[in-house]
Amino acid sequence: NAGVTQTPKFQVLKTGQSMTLQCAQDMNHNSMYWYRQDPGMGLRLIYYSASEGTTDKGEVPNGYNVSRLNKREFSLRLESAAPSQTSVYFCASSEDRVHEQFFGPGTRLTVL
Amino acid sequence: SQELEQSPQSLIVQEGKNLTINCTSSKTLYGLYWYKQKYGEGLIFLMMLQKGGEEKSHEKITAKLDEKKQQSSLHITASQPSHAGIYLCGADTWGKLQFGAGTQVVVTP
């Protein structure tokens, strides 16, 4: 089992460009999450999907959109990247909302 | 919203020594998760605590949730280089995890 995979691992964008971060899990989990991690601030939840077909905003959703493509895949889209979105992005999944979460290796995004 | 404060922010410990990290919540904790992160990598689940007074151990790491369920501690006995990294606590808040800022642990020879 690969667990949770994320692509790409690194990305550099110019202000205003768009991109999609991909996430997939092979554990048959119902719930999936997108976080961003910034120095000194821990992880902050951007969006989550409690189950296939549903998505909800987390703590810092502005500037992002998500798609739960199927049970395995949950993508995060930046429509018009801004320097404030420079961060490390983590995808996670869990069996259900109250179970432990399994994390992917992260995507390091720099917006110039 | 629930706020989690971790202390210390960072610590340096000599190999073989013990260390303790604290996680204090502004509200009652209904589920408290401990994770470890190595630099540049994702988070690895360590333990979950739910009941006041609960204590769990895995290898040389012990985590406790106090009776009032507003503070948790993570204790490492006889630290090793493999214990170096960032430790984060996360509180179960209506099915979502609210994380503390993390504690960076450095283990010196």
Side-chain angles (χ1 to χ4, degrees), chain B residues 12-55:
Chain B
I12 300 172
V13 62
Q14 191 175 22
E15 186 174 351
K17 300 294 185 182
N18 303 337
L19 68 97
T20 299
I21 299 167
N22 293 305
C23 176
T24 302
S25 172
S26 60
K27 298 182 180 181
T28 300
L29 292 163
Y30 292 102
L32 189 286
Y33 296 74
W34 282 100
Y35 285 85
K36 179 187 174 185
Q37 182 181 28
K38 290 192 172 183
Y39 180 75
E41 299 180 11
L43 279 68
I44 298 171
F45 171 76
L46 295 175
M47 276 172 272
M48 184 193 81
L49 305 164
Q50 285 186 304
K51 300 176 183 177
E54 187 174 11
E55 179 176 320

Side-chain angles (χ1 to χ4, degrees), chain A residues 66-79:
Chain A
V66 290
S67 295
R68 183 75 183 265
L69 304 171
N70 48 54
K71 192 171 186 179
R72 289 186 64 249
E73 299 171 288
F74 189 38
S75 63
L76 179 72
R77 183 162 178 82
L78 286 70
E79 291 291 351

Side-chain angles (χ1 to χ4, degrees), chain A:
Chain A
N1 287 350
V4 179
T5 57
Q6 292 183 235
T7 55
K9 290 187 177 180
F10 300 93
Q11 184 71 48
V12 178
L13 293 177
K14 294 181 179 179
T15 297
Q17 287 185 316
S18 63
M19 78 161 296
T20 300
L21 281 66
Q22 306 286 354
C23 174
Q25 51 91 8
D26 62 1
M27 296 173 281
N28 201 35
H29 285 169
N30 289 311
S31 302
M32 298 186 74
Y33 312 82
W34 275 107
Y35 294 90
R36 59 177 289 172
Q37 185 176 35
D38 301 293
M41 302 188 74
L43 274 78
R44 292 181 292 169
L45 183 64
I46 304 172
Y47 270 94
Y48 68 101
S49 170
S51 60
E52 186 179 357
T54 68
T55 60
D56 285 290
K57 296 178 180 179
E59 185 182 352
V60 288
N62 291 345
Y64 305 95
N65 285 302
V66 290
S67 295
R68 183 75 183 265
L69 304 171
N70 48 54
K71 192 171 186 179
R72 289 186 64 249
E73 299 171 288
F74 189 38
S75 63
L76 179 72
R77 183 162 178 82
L78 286 70
E79 291 291 351
S80 179
S84 61
Q85 294 178 305
T86 293
S87 188
V88 182
Y89 291 85
F90 288 100
C91 177
S93 71
S94 62
E95 185 178 330
D96 284 297
R97 288 177 63 185
V98 293
H99 285 78
E100 66 181 88
Q101 294 181 18
F102 293 82
F103 284 77
T107 295
R108 290 185 174 274
L109 175 66
T110 301
V111 183
L112 303 174

